[in-house]
Amino acid sequence: LLVTPIKREQLAIGKILGLSIIVVLGGISSFIGAMLSLPFLSIGQDEIDTSVYSINDYLELFIIVISTVLIMISLTAIVSVLARSIKEASSSMAPLTILVGISGMYNQNGSNRLIHYIIPLYNSAQCMNEIFLFNGNINHVIITVISNLLYTIILVYILSKLFKNEKIIL
């Protein structure tokens, strides 16, 4: 890879795209699973109403999942570049995984401050919680997706800078 006539930015983008294909397929699979299970969340009712969530809700969830996956891929790629071994990379990802899990549980009593939709990973959890609780707001989804894409661009830039560092590559 080091002797190929491509720029380090192209190498970073290629790495992210390669990882993205597999992870986005996993994200689509998770989305389909969540979509199929949502009507069954209302257990205890005599009839299950499959029209509880609209197509817009499903579309918003899908876009949030994909934009969140891109951030996670970028963070994973950076950690994998900085790690000296697979074991170190795995242990470095554990706190991030825990943070993502905790962010889904934390909500400031339904507070809808815009700053919550700019914080990476937390913003996605908050948007998904809103949709699941029938309080979805398209503005929050738009802010979340745009900020997630901006964070992804920044992380890809950082990854390309890391690839320029010969100590890290070698």
Side-chain angles (χ1 to χ4, degrees):
L1 285 174
L2 295 176
V3 296
T4 57
I6 63 171
K7 296 179 183 178
R8 302 297 171 130
E9 293 86 11
Q10 293 171 332
L11 182 63
I13 291 171
K15 183 172 180 76
I16 297 295
L17 287 176
L19 291 169
S20 297
I21 291 170
I22 300 300
V23 177
V24 166
L25 289 175
I28 290 170
S29 173
S30 296
F31 168 75
I32 290 170
M35 184 179 76
L36 294 175
S37 67
L38 283 177
F40 299 104
L41 292 177
S42 58
I43 294 175
Q45 295 180 354
D46 293 336
E47 292 182 24
I48 296 173
D49 185 9
T50 58
S51 64
V52 172
Y53 295 98
S54 70
I55 296 296
N56 287 339
D57 293 331
Y58 291 123
L59 183 60
E60 289 171 4
L61 282 173
F62 180 73
I63 292 170
I64 292 167
V65 166
I66 297 303
S67 69
T68 305
V69 161
L70 293 173
I71 288 180
M72 291 298 293
I73 290 168
S74 302
L75 287 171
T76 303
I78 289 172
V79 168
S80 70
V81 166
L82 294 173
R84 290 177 170 66
S85 67
I86 293 174
K87 184 177 179 180
E88 185 179 340
S90 297
S91 63
S92 297
M93 287 304 295
L96 181 63
T97 306
I98 292 169
L99 178 68
V100 171
I102 291 172
S103 70
M105 295 184 291
Y106 178 73
N107 187 358
Q108 291 190 335
N109 299 323
S111 175
N112 288 330
R113 295 178 41 197
L114 287 181
I115 189 74
H116 293 163
Y117 303 97
I118 299 174
I119 302 168
L121 304 177
Y122 177 75
N123 59 2
S124 300
Q126 291 308 304
C127 274
M128 286 186 218
N129 283 340
E130 284 182 358
I131 292 169
F132 291 143
L133 296 173
F134 305 106
N135 296 327
N137 183 332
I138 190 66
N139 292 331
H140 295 164
V141 172
I142 291 170
I143 293 168
T144 296
V145 170
I146 289 173
S147 67
N148 285 350
L149 294 176
L150 288 174
Y151 286 122
T152 300
I153 290 169
I154 291 167
L155 291 171
V156 169
Y157 176 77
I158 291 169
L159 184 63
S160 69
K161 290 297 180 189
L162 288 173
F163 280 152
K164 288 183 179 181
N165 186 345
E166 296 298 325
K167 288 181 182 178
I168 289 178
I169 295 297
L170 301 174

